[in-house]
Structures are given as C-alpha cells and as structure tokens.
Amino acid sequence: MNEITLPKAVDNLITATNAHDANALAAVFGDGATVRDDGKTWTGEAEIRDWIQGHLIDPKVVLTPTSFADDRLVASGDGDFPGGPLSFAFVFDIKDDQVIDLAIEPV
C-alpha cells in the first residue's frame, strides 16, 4: 500500500483523533475556525471543543486515511457508533498549519 503524504495540520488531526486527545485536537484549529458535520456548523473554540468531544472523543473514533488530493481527505472511521467502519470525506481549508474550515460528509 502506498503511503499517503498529508499536510501537517491534517496529519495532526488524524494523530490527535486516533490518540483520543481532545486538547491536541483543539490545537489543530485556528482562531474562529468552522466545522461543518452532520448538517450542523460549529464555530470558534468552545463550539469546536463540543464537536470534538461528541463526535470524536466520546465515540473513540479512529481514522484510517485512504486518499488525499486537493485538500480532500478520504478516510475510514471506526469507533463506538453503529454501522462502522464508515468512509468520510474531510475537506480542509488550512492556514499557517492550522485548520480554519473543515467540512465532513459520508462517502
């Protein structure tokens, strides 16, 4: 299998997610960042921390990247949720090695 080269911010997000480290995950996001997932939008540190806890930490999500191109990561996600593993597309807007916008949708 070919190794996937990821931008630093994306690699940091995957590493922190798989380590279930909420503080490291929060540090991936820049000031005023936005996350769009499950038909909702989370903006700013407090809301993104709520999203991190509810969508990544509590269900113990583990992400396995399958491809990355044009700021779009496709990864398999597994954890304590029904139907897993599931494939997701993560579309990133990155500035200064931090995520400033993230949109997630099922693939």
Side-chain angles (χ1 to χ4, degrees), residues 19-58:
H20 313 298
D21 185 336
N23 290 328
L25 267 165
V28 169
F29 293 90
D31 291 338
T34 299
V35 173
R36 290 172 279 126
D37 186 20
D38 284 340
K40 297 178 185 168
T41 301
W42 290 265
T43 302
E45 183 178 1
E47 289 184 13
I48 289 175
R49 280 187 176 274
D50 287 345
W51 171 79
I52 287 168
Q53 193 65 46
H55 285 78
L56 300 175
I57 301 299
D58 290 346

Side-chain angles (χ1 to χ4, degrees), residues 3-95:
E3 187 168 326
I4 299 169
T5 301
L6 300 172
K8 182 178 180 179
V10 176
D11 187 57
N12 290 347
L13 182 132
I14 291 167
T15 299
T17 297
N18 292 351
H20 313 298
D21 185 336
N23 290 328
L25 267 165
V28 169
F29 293 90
D31 291 338
T34 299
V35 173
R36 290 172 279 126
D37 186 20
D38 284 340
K40 297 178 185 168
T41 301
W42 290 265
T43 302
E45 183 178 1
E47 289 184 13
I48 289 175
R49 280 187 176 274
D50 287 345
W51 171 79
I52 287 168
Q53 193 65 46
H55 285 78
L56 300 175
I57 301 299
D58 290 346
K60 297 179 177 71
V61 169
V62 173
L63 297 174
T64 304
T66 56
S67 67
F68 184 82
D70 300 325
D71 298 325
R72 184 177 187 261
L73 171 72
V74 176
S76 174
D78 205 359
D80 294 339
F81 56 85
L86 300 172
S87 289
F88 296 94
F90 299 78
V91 180
F92 293 88
D93 189 358
I94 297 168
K95 182 179 177 186

